[in-house]
Amino acid sequence: MVSVRAAALPAAALVIVVGWAARPATAQETPTFTLTGQIVDALNERPVIAAVVKVPELRRFVFSDVNGRFHFPDFPEGTWEIVVEQLGYHTLDGSVAVAQGNGLSLRLNPDPVALEGLRVRTRSERLLERRRRLTPYRVTRISPEVIANAINPDPTAIFRRKANSLIVPCSADSDEQMTPGCVVVRGRQKAITVMLDDLPLPGGMVVLQMYPHDHIHSMDWVARAGVLQVYTRDFIRRLDENGMNLSPLVW
């Protein structure tokens, strides 16, 4: 029997069903096979189309098709964290122990959003949303509203409050020993890389701490990779007005 340890939001659920295509493996390699599954709406059982299914440790992701189904070829046996995201649904985040002969049935619980009329998304919003969806790790977005309404103007304080991660000072031999500049991932410290408008910020969290928060538009935090993407208002304006494109992220 396949065991499941769900770390998802309360309304989400992970269920194991049959649905794999096995591939013979040699004694020298971890057995792999095509992992298949389906994503449905938890309320009406309808397929969820174009949901992104991420496996952070493998740095892989796929999208569900018009029937809510997805396929991971050459998927290794073992216990893996699975993250499923789609607009309008709560994120599903859980660990599953997979083995030959089983597949995944995933149920997403709707996350209704109250709309005040119709609003056309800007070009920068579309580009940044696409980047988040194509990132193989879970991304925590810190919105312009959160930054604009922050009482403490320190950008690092805003980040730490919304990161949903354990942010700590780095080890004693680091230049950032007095400033929380590391994230604890699986019991180990990982130095945070700060990217300002897609370029590394020299000095990282120490310099970000002194950056005017009213110049910052939003942030994207990728905890598993230890990367904080900071976007300035000028960068967002250029995305909207000058036809500039975002470079693919390399992990």
Side-chain angles (χ1 to χ4, degrees):
M1 178 179 295
V2 178
S3 62
V4 178
R5 297 195 306 275
L9 292 171
L14 279 173
V15 183
I16 300 298
V17 297
V18 175
W20 295 66
R23 190 192 75 168
T26 67
Q28 288 75 30
E29 64 178 4
T30 301
T32 62
F33 34 78
T34 298
L35 169 59
T36 66
Q38 185 178 29
I39 307 169
V40 299
D41 188 299
L43 296 183
N44 57 30
E45 301 294 330
R46 294 178 179 174
V48 178
I49 302 170
V52 59
V53 184
K54 303 178 181 180
V55 186
E57 292 171 279
L58 298 179
R59 299 183 180 183
R60 296 178 63 185
F61 61 88
V62 294
F63 290 91
S64 59
D65 61 19
V66 294
N67 297 311
R69 299 188 180 279
F70 61 89
H71 302 79
F72 272 109
D74 298 321
F75 199 91
E77 289 186 349
T79 299
W80 306 102
E81 179 187 1
I82 302 291
V83 179
V84 184
E85 299 175 338
Q86 177 57 300
L87 294 176
Y89 290 89
H90 289 290
T91 296
L92 177 63
D93 186 352
S95 296
V96 293
V98 298
Q100 182 176 342
N102 296 290
L104 295 176
S105 176
L106 310 176
R107 297 165 60 85
L108 296 186
N109 193 55
D111 182 18
V113 178
L115 299 177
E116 297 180 1
L118 297 176
R119 186 179 71 86
V120 178
R121 288 198 303 167
T122 64
R123 182 174 184 271
S124 61
E125 287 175 324
R126 295 194 302 271
L127 291 173
L128 291 176
E129 176 59 31
R130 184 174 186 274
R131 170 179 275 189
R132 283 189 287 269
R133 286 170 59 80
L134 294 179
T135 300
Y137 302 107
R138 184 168 185 171
V139 180
T140 299
R141 179 174 182 259
I142 303 175
S143 70
E145 293 76 20
V146 167
I147 295 173
N149 295 328
I151 298 176
N152 187 341
D154 177 0
T156 64
I158 300 171
F159 159 64
R160 294 197 303 271
R161 186 165 60 88
K162 293 295 183 179
N164 295 321
S165 304
L166 180 57
I167 309 298
V168 298
C170 298
S171 56
D173 59 349
S174 170
D175 293 337
E176 298 185 17
Q177 57 180 317
M178 300 304 295
T179 301
C182 283
V183 59
V184 177
V185 179
R186 295 192 168 184
R188 296 184 177 182
Q189 286 190 8
K190 184 179 182 66
I192 296 172
T193 299
V194 180
M195 304 292 292
L196 183 66
D197 294 345
D198 277 5
L199 294 175
L201 179 65
M205 294 285 282
V206 174
V207 174
L208 181 63
Q209 192 172 39
M210 299 179 288
Y211 199 87
H213 95 286
D214 57 353
H215 289 189
I216 296 175
H217 174 270
S218 58
M219 306 182 195
D220 283 340
W221 167 233
V222 188
R224 289 292 296 274
V227 175
L228 176 62
Q229 293 275 343
V230 180
Y231 301 109
T232 65
R233 294 181 180 275
D234 181 65
F235 183 79
I236 296 299
R237 179 186 59 77
R238 285 184 282 134
L239 282 180
D240 286 333
E241 298 177 0
N242 299 344
M244 184 177 70
N245 288 315
L246 290 174
S247 301
L249 295 180
V250 179
W251 304 98

